[in-house]
Amino acid sequence: MNLLDSISRLTFQLALVFFWAGCATHTTARAATEEKSAMERPNRETTVLILINSKNGSTVRLATEIAAGVEKEHVRAVIKKVPTIDAKDAELFKEIPVATIDELPGYDGIAFGSPIHFGNMSADMRHFLDQGIKIWVDQSLAGVPATVFMAGGSGLGRESAILSFWNNLASQGMTLVTTGNIGAAAAGARALNGNTPFGITTIAGREPKNTLSEAEVDIAREQGAALARAARALSSERPHAKKSASVPAPPKRRTIDTSALGLPKAPKPVGNYRAAVRSGNLVFINQIALKDGKVLHPGVIGKDVSLEQAKEATKQTMQNVLAVLADALDGDLNRVERCVQLTGIFNTPSGFAEHAQVMNAASDYVVEVLGDAGPHARGTLGAASLPLNSAVEIQAIFEVR
């Protein structure tokens, strides 16, 4: 081999070395860029809006079950109502927040609930959606999964009502989520259900008022779960930078391990009432100082019960409240958005003035458990007597999802 051949071969080998080194550098740089891009992607909570209009509460009841199905899939549900055309209807379901048309693109999925009016949606829902011209022009809802549920006085025309509702959603380019056959197993041969392949419906004004059959509850939850799965799957395809700032952010707080709290077994009702009632996103609970089936430190505070015993009874009552709340939320206190209001009622003699000091035992405990979601509005008052001679009763309101 002459000198020229040796130089040529060395040059070729060096060229190969630099080529492969360049490929490795490019691959490393691309991997680093992709990793940086992934790190910069916003870590968002998937959120579904349940947008309703309701006249007698049937649609509200369905919305609650749709929300339960959404949350079963670990997706956040927000229930809101459309503004009413008739001013007197604005007083209906005041605890449910009113939506604005501009906030709709801020959600990852929307469930629309309306009364059936002559085979169509209600006038209030129609008027609200008619304000979405700009959203339609911008195609801000294109690809957003949507589903429909309705309530009618007779049940007639329920399928045509949902199909007519779809016309608006299809014009917006939304992805329609149907129930299809998912409700067949839930409904079976059980009587009184509003199953359709397009979405759940129910008979409005049914007696007892606004109740749903067991089958309708199952189907509504399945429909909510189907929407949640679609919303979670498609949310990564949407430009999150355009998300509406009007979508309320959940409070920042610690993760609550309910099983580690040592809560008592939730007391059961002893009359014709419920331990907890949910209306919209609010849960209402009343409890007294029961412990192991007996009243803890019964009697009049300052007479039969010392101040320290009263505080102990108050904390026990608050533990009972949270035990009932946990039961209502399937054991998951992380679904509590905030403690809205606590009202302490104390069995006290005339002239007693330490209500606030005793009530602090309840306030401190709920903040300890719920963290940033614990601070609340508060009221205290004295009473001449309380049920079972309890020293304390607490009325509580929580906002949940």
Side-chain angles (χ1 to χ4, degrees):
M1 182 182 296
N2 58 34
L3 180 61
L4 183 59
D5 289 338
S6 298
I7 292 173
S8 297
R9 177 168 293 189
L10 179 61
T11 302
F12 176 72
Q13 290 173 339
L14 287 172
L16 283 176
V17 170
F18 284 119
F19 171 76
W20 289 113
C23 288
T25 302
H26 174 72
T27 302
T28 303
R30 182 174 64 182
T33 300
E34 290 177 350
E35 182 179 358
K36 180 181 179 183
S37 175
M39 291 175 64
E40 289 176 350
R41 293 190 193 108
N43 183 17
R44 296 177 61 260
E45 180 181 25
T46 303
T47 305
V48 163
L49 172 66
I50 301 173
L51 182 66
I52 64 169
N53 174 232
S54 190
K55 300 297 183 183
N56 64 18
S58 297
T59 315
V60 174
R61 185 73 181 88
L62 274 177
T64 301
E65 300 305 334
I66 294 281
V70 169
E71 291 167 352
K72 182 181 178 182
E73 295 294 322
H74 307 290
V75 169
R76 183 167 175 249
V78 175
I79 300 177
K80 291 193 175 185
K81 63 181 181 180
V82 301
T84 57
I85 298 173
D86 192 334
K88 71 178 184 345
D89 288 341
E91 295 299 307
L92 297 173
F93 313 108
K94 292 191 296 183
E95 72 279 3
I96 301 177
V98 178
T100 63
I101 194 70
D102 294 333
E103 73 181 85
L104 298 194
Y107 296 92
D108 299 297
I110 305 176
F112 295 88
S114 169
I116 298 173
H117 285 183
F118 306 106
N120 210 318
M121 69 181 76
S122 68
D124 295 305
M125 182 65 74
R126 168 63 65 188
H127 179 69
F128 179 79
L129 295 178
D130 281 348
Q131 299 171 46
I133 299 299
K134 185 178 185 306
I135 292 175
W136 171 72
V137 170
D138 295 340
Q139 285 291 276
S140 301
L141 290 175
V144 176
T147 196
V148 177
F149 58 96
M150 305 187 81
S154 65
L156 297 176
R158 58 191 183 185
E159 293 189 346
S160 62
I162 294 180
L163 291 173
S164 66
F165 204 128
W166 281 6
N167 291 333
N168 189 293
L169 308 184
S171 296
Q172 295 285 358
M174 303 186 79
T175 300
L176 300 176
V177 177
T178 71
T179 52
N181 199 35
I182 63 173
R190 284 181 279 174
L192 203 57
N193 72 79
N195 188 26
T196 82
F198 312 118
I200 183 69
T201 67
T202 189
I203 303 294
R206 178 186 298 165
E207 294 297 336
K209 190 174 181 181
N210 304 328
T211 56
L212 301 178
S213 69
E214 182 182 346
E216 287 171 337
V217 169
D218 290 342
I219 297 165
R221 292 187 178 187
E222 289 288 347
Q223 185 171 349
L227 177 64
R229 290 191 294 269
R232 188 172 55 234
L234 296 176
S235 64
S236 60
E237 304 299 322
R238 301 188 65 216
H240 295 146
K242 295 183 179 180
K243 291 292 180 182
S244 168
S246 60
V247 179
K252 296 179 181 179
R253 61 180 182 273
R254 74 197 76 173
T255 300
I256 303 170
D257 182 0
T258 308
S259 62
L261 293 177
L263 293 175
K265 187 175 180 180
K268 301 299 181 184
V270 293
N272 190 17
Y273 64 92
R274 295 181 179 179
V277 170
R278 178 169 177 170
S279 180
N281 287 350
L282 298 180
V283 177
F284 300 81
I285 299 171
N286 283 19
Q287 285 294 311
I288 60 174
L290 286 173
K291 183 177 182 180
D292 300 327
K294 298 180 180 180
V295 174
L296 179 65
H297 304 312
V300 179
I301 301 172
K303 181 180 176 183
D304 310 308
V305 180
S306 70
L307 210 58
E308 289 306 312
Q309 288 175 325
K311 291 178 183 179
E312 187 180 348
T314 300
K315 182 177 180 180
Q316 177 66 43
T317 306
M318 195 67 234
Q319 288 176 324
N320 293 344
V321 168
L322 291 184
V324 171
L325 180 62
D327 263 12
L329 298 178
D330 300 322
D332 186 7
L333 289 179
N334 292 291
R335 289 169 54 188
V336 179
E337 293 283 1
R338 63 184 56 83
C339 179
V340 178
Q341 167 82 29
L342 294 181
T343 302
I345 307 169
F346 300 100
N347 191 350
T348 59
S350 177
F352 184 83
E354 305 299 328
H355 304 78
Q357 184 179 346
V358 177
M359 189 61 184
N360 284 341
S363 294
D364 292 345
Y365 181 71
V366 76
V367 172
E368 176 187 340
V369 172
L370 299 181
D372 291 345
H376 49 272
R378 194 175 86 172
T380 57
L381 53 105
S385 65
L386 289 175
L388 301 180
N389 202 26
S390 177
V392 58
E393 178 175 350
I394 292 178
Q395 300 175 341
I397 304 172
F398 298 89
E399 181 183 355
V400 302
R401 54 184 170 88

